[in-house]
């Protein structure tokens, strides 16, 4: 009887700790955090792509914040702070949501999920669902693709390049 009482008391005190741990599952970003990543390439329409992005935890690891540098004018002659993003685990839907705010006044929002060690962002761009995939190569390298990705297959790729951890 006494042992059951102790188990119940422990359960009452430990259950909230398990719940808190589950509400902040942003572990798929663990390899990205406190690092800066850099990539260059060309979009399929021939325009240049150049980006530097860094990630860090904030709000007691309840969110992941990203800061990106890229081209900040349409002529692609100025490189500077382009986007600030937030990733947060949504307990109501059990998904990770993201928001990206850019220098042009736009907000992109969508969902993030993992396929193995790959990190996938999906969002609406006009009438199209776009996917950004960070495909794991090793701890300091990700193949990066942007395009139309459905049921595990790329239907069209708009950009393909490599993000490397910047030293």
């Amino acid at each position: 009887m006494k042992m059951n009482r102790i188990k119940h008391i422990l359960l009452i005190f430990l259950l909230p700790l398990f719940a808190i741990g589950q509400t902040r599952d942003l572990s798929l970003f663990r390899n990205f955090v406190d690092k800066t990543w850099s990539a260059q390439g060309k979009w399929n329409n021939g325009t240049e792509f150049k980006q530097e992005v860094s990630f860090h935890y904030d709000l007691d690891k309840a969110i992941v914040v990203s800061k990106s540098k890229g081209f900040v004018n349409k002529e692609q002659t100025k490189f500077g702070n382009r986007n600030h993003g937030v990733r947060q685990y949504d307990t109501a839907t059990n998904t990770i949501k993201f928001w990206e705010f850019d220098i042009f006044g736009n907000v992109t929002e969508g969902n993030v999920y993992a396929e193995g060690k790959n990190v996938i962002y999906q969002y609406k761009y006009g009438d199209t669902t776009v996917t950004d995939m960070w495909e794991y190569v090793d701890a300091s390298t990700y193949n990066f693709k942007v395009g139309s990705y459905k049921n595990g297959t790329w239907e069209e790729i708009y950009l393909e390049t490599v993000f490397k951890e910047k030293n």
Side-chain angles (χ1 to χ4, degrees):
M1 181 74 174
K2 189 174 187 176
M3 186 59 119
N4 281 341
R5 176 179 259 158
I6 291 172
K7 287 180 184 176
H8 284 106
I9 291 171
L10 281 174
L11 185 61
I12 289 169
F13 285 108
L14 293 177
L15 193 56
L17 293 177
F18 293 122
I20 289 170
Q22 292 173 350
T23 62
R24 296 185 176 185
D25 189 9
L26 297 170
S27 60
L28 64 109
F29 294 104
R30 188 174 297 125
N31 191 51
F32 296 93
V33 171
D34 296 327
K35 297 177 182 178
T36 299
W37 301 85
S38 180
Q40 285 188 261
K42 285 192 184 235
W43 291 96
N44 64 357
N45 67 2
T47 59
E48 294 292 321
F49 173 84
K50 182 178 176 184
Q51 192 174 63
E52 248 181 46
V53 59
S54 55
F55 299 88
H56 70 273
Y57 288 116
D58 208 339
L59 300 178
D60 198 25
K61 294 188 177 182
I63 62 172
V64 173
V65 176
S66 68
K67 293 183 180 180
S68 299
K69 290 184 177 184
F71 292 115
V72 295
N73 63 350
K74 291 184 183 195
E75 299 78 24
Q76 296 187 302
T77 57
K78 292 182 183 178
F79 188 81
N81 293 330
R82 181 182 168 93
N83 295 43
H84 284 211
V86 177
R87 290 92 174 103
Q88 181 179 39
Y89 185 80
D90 181 0
T91 56
T93 61
N94 293 320
T95 60
I96 298 174
K97 306 272 187 201
F98 79 92
W99 299 264
E100 284 287 330
F101 304 88
D102 72 25
I103 194 166
F104 306 109
N106 302 308
V107 179
T108 302
E109 58 184 285
N111 294 312
V112 184
Y113 63 95
E115 278 184 1
K117 291 184 175 184
N118 302 336
V119 177
I120 297 170
Y121 292 77
Q122 287 193 315
Y123 53 94
K124 285 285 200 186
Y125 187 79
D127 294 334
T128 307
T129 298
V130 177
T131 301
D132 294 2
M133 179 186 286
W134 290 69
E135 182 181 41
Y136 183 86
V137 175
D138 59 43
S140 62
T141 309
Y142 286 84
N143 291 327
F144 183 69
K145 294 180 184 175
V146 179
S148 176
Y149 182 77
K150 294 181 184 164
N151 301 319
T153 304
W154 289 101
E155 294 180 344
E156 188 175 0
I157 296 176
Y158 313 133
L159 171 71
E160 193 167 5
T161 188
V162 176
F163 268 98
K164 298 282 271 172
E165 180 182 356
K166 200 172 169 189
N167 294 330

